[in-house]
Amino acid sequence: MSRTGARVERQPLARYTTLGVGGEAEIWFVETLEQLAEAMEQPYRVLGGGSNLVISDAGVPERVIRLSGPLAERDLTPDPELSTDAEIVTGWVGGGAPLPGLLRALQKLGWSGLEGTVGIPGQVGGSVWMNAGTRFGEMFDGLHTIEIVTPQGVRQVSPDDLAWGYRHSDIPRNHVVSRVRLKLRPSTPDAVQEAMNQADLARKGQPKNKTPGCAFKNPTLPDGHKVSAGKLIDEAGLKGTRVGNAMIAPEHGNFIVNLGGATAADVHALLGLIRERVGVPLELEYELWPAADAT
Ligand code: EPU
């Protein structure tokens, strides 16, 4: 236990990632803003749902912060002062709350706004930090207030106060999205489900397990067109290529999967191979820990 009561444990990080790769670190399970502030007194990293992340086999030397307890819960009660007939502004949703469970709850309530993010396995905080989404919608479509914690203190901002775009916000890496208030439109459970089905259909044929998700952002060609990185990797003939126990998915070129027992080194070797063989500069979508590993 830390001074403020945070649970602190040394553990392999692999189990907290969807890829299932990564060595050990000291994990701080923080449940309050006070515990979060204490965790931030020494060098730290913030772990979300671990779904867009490749952690080195040696782990990381910094503290790893994981939002837990109340900071992983959601209060979807509409705020009577902020909500109108046309717009629902919810109570606070913790940055550690899993996105899939949140979307199920919104579907049952028939509230529309975030259904384009269906199928993303991450947590709310990390998903906001990188504006996770699909071509059907993204996190910033449904945000009213974002609470951000830094070593200097806590601030609450509106999405308009930030610069954000395709899979990106300008929230710095070591700032924590502790909670958000959502901004949604009243609809019906059936209509929200239908929109979720549409977005889900586009994911058919993508691997869902033992992968961090898409490896590279879709690049914009010199003529201004955005192309699918997966398609480029496919056209380079790389689907099914294997290094150690990591493989470029046979189903979709932009996914690397862990066949069981893969290492971060295997994954980095595949990323390097893709960059070498695809003739277009590719920007990584994954977050790498530590960044010095970047290929
Ligand atoms: N395609 C191929 N071969 C492949 C992969 C794709 O020919 O190996 C073709 C498809 O047949 C399709 C086109 O390329 O005609 C686009 O493919 P897809 O619909 O899979 O979309 P994408 O642009 O490759 C984006 C997101 C995905 C998201 C899907 C569906 C990025 C980098 N990727 O992929 O997001 O799931 O749309 O909405 O933005 C992620 O962010 O982790 C992610 C996987």
Side-chain angles (χ1 to χ4, degrees), residues 1 5 26 30 32 60 88 91-92 118 123 132 145 158 163 194 222 244 268:
M1 284 288 177
E26 185 182 283
V30 303
T32 63
V60 289
I88 300 149
W92 290 104
V118 70
Q123 295 179 349
T145 312
S158 120
E194 179 53 30
H268 284 284

Side-chain angles (χ1 to χ4, degrees), residues 16-39:
Y16 295 101
T17 68
T18 56
L19 175 66
V21 162
E24 283 192 359
E26 185 182 283
I27 308 183
W28 284 57
F29 298 91
V30 303
E31 300 197 0
T32 63
L33 294 185
E34 194 195 7
Q35 292 176 3
L36 183 53
E38 188 196 354

Side-chain angles (χ1 to χ4, degrees), residues 134-135 166 206 214 216 218 228 230 234 239 252-253 255 285:
T134 68
R135 70 183 120 89
Y166 170 67
Q206 292 182 2
C214 281
F216 295 101
N218 285 341
S228 161
D234 186 3
K239 288 206 293 198
H252 192 296
F255 285 78
E285 183 169 305

Side-chain angles (χ1 to χ4, degrees), residues 261-272:
T263 63
D266 297 339
V267 175
H268 284 284
L270 279 178
L271 294 172

Side-chain angles (χ1 to χ4, degrees), residues 130-131 138 140 163-169:
M130 67 162 294
N131 192 19
E138 54 194 6
F140 271 76
W164 49 274
Y166 170 67
R167 303 297 177 272
H168 167 81
S169 83

